[in-house]
Amino acid sequence: MTYNNWSRCFAIAGLILCSARPSPGQVGQTEITEWQYGKNGAVSLTYDDGSINQFRVAVPIMDSFGFPATFFIITGQIPGSQYHGMFVGRPIKMIIAETATVPTNKDNFFERASALPFLGYQGTGDYHTRAGETYDEEKNYAKAYAIVDDAYAKVRQGAFKPVAPIEASTNREGGITWEELRALSKRGYEFASHTVTHPRVAALDDANLIYELEKSRQEILDQLGFKHTFSVECPYGTEDSRAVAFALQRFQAARNRMPDSFVEDLDRASTADPTLSKKEYVRWQRGVLTNTPMKLIKSWVDTAATHNNIWLVFVSHGVDGIGWEPKTHEEIREYLEYVQSKEASLWIATFQDVTKYMRERVHGEVRSYQDGDAFSVALHDDLTDVSYDLPLTLKTYVPIDWRVVEVRQGKRTTRAEVVHDHERGYVLYEAATNAELIRLTPAQQ
């Protein structure tokens, strides 16, 4: 947010400085720009599930444009993972036996649905998915209970082929490796949790929901480091309040829902017009599916570029025939070329970075003070979480005859060219919050 000093005198580093609140555009007036680098809007490219062509095909295309992206990965499928799918709870045989006499109901549904993929039989996981979809999306609880009862009845009748439970959750042949993900993380890509096994989390009991979230986070922490434990997407885009609440207790941001009061959160299914929102920001998710018209995709980009409060979040899955609802590499290149054509107006950043910027800005306070022929700027926010470390973009109006400004914060010094606008001059520059004072002086030519 933007705050400037009021008429007052105070001491900074032994100097007594006095100043009055500048009017908009007045020399010395400083604000935090809506988006980093003073752009009009933001775009995040996100991919779910970690299918191999996201890395073999889509990453080289994004590299060619210099775009970052966020990948929500299913950690239990990656070779070398410590944590795989498992059932947390009572002995499986006890649960199976109980289903012979006690029908599935609201008191036992979550336990039984959680256990289904780990009964030791091939195909029971599909019943978990069907029951979870029915419970979460259709809200037809009686039907969901019936699906679970049907699965356990078939288990008792010997209708399923026995299989080792761990086989359902280990890595897929030819998938991405942690070593490759570490290399990509060093190039600016974000990796985030998509749980351990990609279950229907709305159908899990508390113990198994916690396992899926916490063990996925721990795996990412161990393999990629703290930076990649910021974001999560509970599978199937669920908006189940219990599941998302559990996720937000363990991650700073969930693509499923952004609870911040200053954000209008429009999910993939929303038909609302993002341009009509009166909130500070709009997080606008759009699913890029096989049959999504290219004209429509480009119109989303235009909307984000021309309205200064919209964050467009692309949600993609399959690429070149591998994965759910795949787009071809030609289509991906075409819409990314269009994003690039609007790059003067759009900040393309990871899901994590855009979330950080919005929160740091809204929780931020900036004050600017004139000190002779220089300006001092103080930038603070009230966020205590050490994850919030993204520099903010400041805009300070400077004397009209300044051409280049030297910007110094601590040991870091940069130069910024003055932009002249309607007989006023200003500079845009990056600054860290809760750090040293920022000092602006005219640079020696």
Side-chain angles (χ1 to χ4, degrees):
M1 300 299 285
T2 301
Y3 298 90
N4 286 288
N5 56 295
W6 48 90
S7 296
R8 62 181 298 186
C9 296
F10 63 99
I12 296 180
L15 298 174
I16 303 297
L17 304 179
C18 299
S19 59
R21 179 192 295 273
S23 59
Q26 180 181 333
V27 169
Q29 188 253 347
T30 299
E31 63 188 53
I32 307 172
T33 61
E34 190 92 7
W35 300 108
Q36 202 168 49
Y37 314 123
K39 300 296 180 75
N40 288 347
V43 172
S44 290
L45 308 171
T46 72
Y47 295 81
D48 287 6
D49 305 340
S51 58
I52 191 60
N53 277 355
Q54 293 176 4
F55 306 105
R56 299 289 185 260
V57 178
V59 162
I61 296 173
M62 290 184 292
D63 282 345
S64 71
F65 294 108
F67 291 163
T70 298
F71 296 89
F72 292 95
I73 54 176
I74 306 167
T75 58
Q77 294 181 343
I78 301 173
S81 292
Q82 178 180 353
Y83 304 103
H84 298 281
M86 62 174 288
F87 174 70
V88 180
R90 297 188 297 155
I92 291 292
K93 289 183 178 179
M94 183 182 296
I95 296 172
I96 294 173
E98 189 178 84
T99 64
T101 57
V102 181
T104 300
N105 55 56
K106 64 181 180 61
D107 297 318
N108 57 34
F109 169 74
F110 297 107
E111 179 188 51
R112 293 180 180 183
S114 299
L116 276 171
F118 308 104
L119 299 182
Y121 297 97
Q122 191 174 51
T124 56
D126 293 339
Y127 283 80
H128 162 85
T129 302
R130 288 171 49 205
E133 179 181 12
T134 303
Y135 183 93
D136 190 21
E137 297 184 19
E138 297 180 25
K139 311 300 183 189
N140 189 334
Y141 306 136
K143 182 179 176 182
Y145 302 160
I147 292 171
V148 171
D149 281 337
D150 183 36
Y152 280 97
K154 289 179 178 177
V155 167
R156 297 193 308 271
Q157 295 161 8
F160 296 109
K161 177 184 176 182
V163 63
I166 193 64
E167 291 181 13
S169 61
T170 50
N171 75 303
R172 293 171 295 184
E173 196 68 30
I176 196 73
T177 67
W178 285 114
E179 183 178 2
E180 290 174 292
L181 295 183
R182 280 190 286 274
L184 289 172
S185 72
K186 294 175 182 177
R187 288 158 49 188
Y189 290 102
E190 178 191 7
F191 297 96
S193 171
H194 206 32
T195 69
V196 176
T197 67
H198 200 270
R200 281 282 181 175
V201 291
L204 298 182
D205 61 19
D206 289 358
N208 286 280
L209 176 54
I210 290 170
Y211 179 88
E212 287 282 342
L213 293 168
E214 292 190 351
K215 297 309 181 185
S216 177
R217 184 186 187 280
Q218 187 64 49
E219 192 75 65
I220 291 172
L221 177 64
D222 293 344
Q223 299 284 355
L224 301 176
F226 177 73
K227 180 178 175 63
H228 296 276
T229 63
F230 189 90
S231 308
V232 65
E233 166 69 0
C234 293
Y236 303 99
T238 183
E239 295 185 9
D240 179 76
S241 58
R242 179 180 64 98
V244 176
F246 272 51
L248 288 172
Q249 289 168 6
R250 292 159 177 83
F251 297 85
Q252 287 86 347
R255 204 187 63 201
N256 306 79
R257 187 177 74 238
M258 195 165 187
D260 307 68
S261 61
F262 57 86
V263 176
E264 186 84 34
D265 202 12
L266 305 181
D267 66 16
R268 283 175 273 170
S270 175
T271 58
D273 184 346
T275 68
L276 300 180
S277 175
K278 302 300 181 184
K279 292 202 173 184
E280 188 79 13
Y281 290 107
V282 180
R283 189 179 70 159
W284 191 33
Q285 295 190 60
R286 298 289 85 183
V288 181
L289 307 178
T290 300
N291 293 324
T292 305
M294 190 60 61
K295 183 177 180 180
L296 179 60
I297 295 174
K298 292 178 179 179
S299 74
W300 299 337
V301 177
D302 290 336
T303 299
T306 54
H307 295 81
N308 67 1
N309 66 337
I310 295 176
W311 173 22
L312 172 60
V313 180
F314 281 112
V315 179
S316 301
H317 290 79
V319 177
D320 271 359
I322 297 179
W324 183 70
E325 290 283 347
K327 279 291 192 188
T328 67
H329 67 274
E330 293 93 347
E331 291 172 309
I332 293 170
R333 179 171 292 280
E334 182 176 349
Y335 71 72
L336 291 184
E337 281 181 349
Y338 195 74
V339 172
Q340 185 185 49
S341 74
K342 304 294 181 178
E343 201 169 2
S345 300
L346 292 171
W347 174 38
I348 297 92
T350 63
F351 185 85
Q352 172 181 157
D353 280 355
V354 179
T355 301
K356 286 181 176 180
Y357 192 92
M358 293 190 302
R359 288 177 177 163
E360 289 179 34
R361 176 179 177 270
V362 169
H363 288 268
E365 178 180 65
V366 61
R367 291 174 177 166
S368 54
Y369 313 94
Q370 188 163 4
D371 177 17
D373 62 349
F375 297 94
S376 294
V377 179
L379 177 62
H380 301 281
D381 65 49
D382 60 7
L383 297 170
T384 58
D385 187 332
V386 296
S387 301
Y388 292 93
D389 56 359
L390 192 74
L392 296 177
T393 300
L394 301 185
K395 179 180 182 179
T396 298
Y397 286 89
V398 297
I400 192 67
D401 58 341
W402 287 18
R403 293 293 178 264
V404 179
V405 176
E406 184 176 273
V407 181
R408 186 172 72 252
Q409 186 178 31
K411 296 181 180 180
R412 182 174 181 269
T413 300
T414 59
R415 288 192 167 206
E417 291 190 7
V418 176
V419 178
H420 292 93
D421 175 29
H422 302 297
E423 299 184 353
R424 300 177 301 172
Y426 66 85
V427 286
L428 295 173
Y429 55 96
E430 304 302 297
T433 63
N434 302 323
E436 301 91 345
L437 277 175
I438 304 127
R439 181 93 169 163
L440 277 64
T441 56
Q444 298 295 322
Q445 299 296 307

